[in-house]
Amino acid sequence: ARAGAHRSPRKSAFVGRKVTRARVGTLLRDHAALRATKSGTVTAALSLPQDAPPQAATAQGLAEYLFERVASSLGDLTVRDHADAILGSMGGAWASRGITGEIKSFTDARSKLSWITKAEHVAAAEYKATLLFFVAPLTDVPHLKCIVGANPAGMFVELDTIPRSDLVASAPYFAQYFSDEREQWYRMALNEVELEAVVVDSSGGMFQKLVSSPLCLSAVYDGSSERGVDTVARICEAHIGFWLNWMQAAEELNRNKRGMMFARDAALHRMIFEAEKLLALGMLNGDDFAAIYAAALVGPGDTPYTGQHS
C-alpha cells in the first residue's frame, strides 16, 4: 500500500455489551490487574473527599476503566515526570482555590503516540477526569480526547477526536475520520432518553472552537440511575472504539507528510494549550496557576518524531 493510505477499519457498534454502574468497578479491576502484570504503569486514582458530588465515584471508575482500556490496547506505557516538574510536586499533585487534583504523564514505547495525559481534579461541586492521547506525526489519526465527570446536574462528558488536517480541503480525511458512522454515533448520543442537557462551553474561547471537531460531544446525563450510567459508558466505549480501530488500521505517512504533520501538530498543540489555559482561568477564578496547570496538562510541545516503527 502507498504511504499515507489507510486500510478499512472494523465497524464500531454504538450499542455494545452493557457496562452498568455495577460493572464499571469490576471492569476497572480486571483492566488494572492486566496492566499491572504487563508494565506496572497503573497509577492510583485520586482520593475523593466526603463532600464530592454523589456520582463522582462512578465517574472516576468509568474514567479509570476507559484509560486502562486504551492503555492495554496500546501496549507498554512509560511514566514521565513532566507534570511533576511543572507543578513542583510528587505524583503530579496540585491544589488551588479549594480544588485538588493530579496530573500524570506517559509516552508510548512504540512511538505511535507523542504524549498521553491522565488528569483528575475534585471540588465540593465537581469531579472531572481528562484523558488526552496525542498521536505522533507518524500517522494522521486524530488526537483522542475523553472527559468524564460529575456535578450536581449529573454525569457529564466531553468526547472528541481532534482533527489534524483541514476538513474542508481534504475530502479523503473527512471521509476517513468523520464518516456517516461517526455522525450516527453523535446523533444517537444526543437522542438518548437520559440526556439532560447539551453543554455549549465557550470558556475556552476561540481556541477551544478551533481545536474541536464538528462532532465534539459535550453533554450532561442522568448519572443517578443504572440506565443513565450505562448510557454514558456505552457512548464513551464507542468513542474510544472508533479511535482504537483507526490507530490499528492507519499506515505510516511518508517522510514529507510526516514533516508537515509535525509542523501542524506543533501549531495545534499551542492552540490546545491556550484553550486549556482559558478553561483553567475560569475554573480557578483567574488564578495565575492556570498557565502552569495547562502546561502540565497538555504536555511538552514541539517534540519531533524520529522513530521508524511501523
Side-chain angles (χ1 to χ4, degrees):
R2 62 181 177 83
H6 295 271
R7 297 184 296 271
S8 296
R10 298 190 304 273
K11 293 287 186 180
S12 295
F14 174 74
V15 181
R17 59 179 180 172
K18 288 181 69 63
V19 185
T20 62
R21 177 167 50 182
R23 288 195 62 204
V24 166
T26 301
L27 290 166
L28 169 59
R29 288 192 296 273
D30 290 347
H31 279 258
L34 173 65
R35 291 289 296 142
T37 57
K38 281 191 171 183
S39 61
T41 60
V42 172
T43 54
L46 180 70
S47 296
L48 298 178
Q50 292 185 345
D51 61 350
Q55 307 306 321
T58 303
Q60 185 181 53
L62 178 57
E64 289 289 320
Y65 162 67
L66 294 171
F67 181 82
E68 297 305 332
R69 162 93 189 276
V70 177
S72 62
S73 298
L74 292 173
D76 292 341
L77 302 183
T78 302
V79 180
R80 312 295 296 196
D81 62 359
H82 171 78
D84 297 29
I86 294 291
L87 298 170
S89 64
M90 292 295 292
W94 63 273
S96 178
R97 305 281 178 150
I99 304 173
T100 59
E102 292 179 351
I103 300 176
K104 300 186 184 301
S105 310
F106 308 86
T107 52
D108 171 23
R110 296 183 298 178
S111 299
K112 295 291 186 180
L113 302 182
S114 59
W115 199 257
I116 301 162
T117 294
K118 175 180 177 287
E120 297 177 276
H121 73 251
V122 65
E126 180 180 86
Y127 166 81
K128 179 179 177 181
T130 300
L131 311 179
L132 299 173
F133 296 85
F134 292 103
V135 183
L138 179 65
T139 73
D140 63 5
V141 174
H143 301 313
L144 177 65
K145 180 179 185 179
C146 188
I147 292 176
V148 180
N151 57 30
M155 288 182 66
F156 62 86
V157 299
E158 183 178 334
L159 309 174
D160 201 10
T161 50
I162 301 171
R164 298 165 65 214
S165 186
D166 191 325
L167 298 183
V168 175
S170 179
Y173 191 86
F174 182 87
Q176 177 70 26
Y177 297 120
F178 299 92
S179 61
D180 292 343
E181 187 185 12
R182 181 70 176 164
E183 185 176 2
Q184 182 184 22
W185 164 84
Y186 179 79
R187 293 188 182 280
M188 290 178 72
L190 292 183
N191 289 335
E192 285 291 325
V193 294
E194 297 287 355
L195 184 67
E196 293 287 338
V198 175
V199 179
V200 180
D201 187 356
S202 60
S203 55
M206 65 176 180
F207 294 109
Q208 185 180 18
K209 295 181 181 298
L210 285 170
V211 301
S212 299
S213 82
L215 300 180
C216 177
L217 177 68
S218 182
V220 181
Y221 294 82
D222 174 19
S224 62
S225 68
E226 184 175 293
R227 183 177 183 181
V229 173
D230 180 60
T231 295
V232 176
R234 288 187 293 113
I235 290 170
C236 291
E237 278 212 303
H239 173 64
I240 64 176
F242 279 108
W243 185 80
L244 287 172
N245 283 344
W246 295 340
M247 289 295 292
Q248 183 179 27
E251 297 183 356
E252 291 190 13
L253 299 172
N254 63 41
R255 288 183 177 275
N256 289 336
K257 289 184 177 180
R258 224 178 286 174
M260 290 187 290
M261 184 61 70
F262 166 68
R264 183 178 180 87
D265 277 350
L268 183 60
H269 185 274
R270 287 191 288 272
M271 285 189 177
I272 293 173
F273 166 76
E274 293 295 341
E276 293 296 342
K277 183 174 69 173
L278 288 174
L279 288 168
L281 281 169
M283 176 178 71
L284 300 171
N285 296 318
D287 196 313
D288 291 340
F289 178 70
I292 299 173
Y293 169 85
L297 184 71
V298 303
D302 300 344
T303 303
Y305 170 78
T306 57
Q308 302 299 322
H309 301 290
S310 298

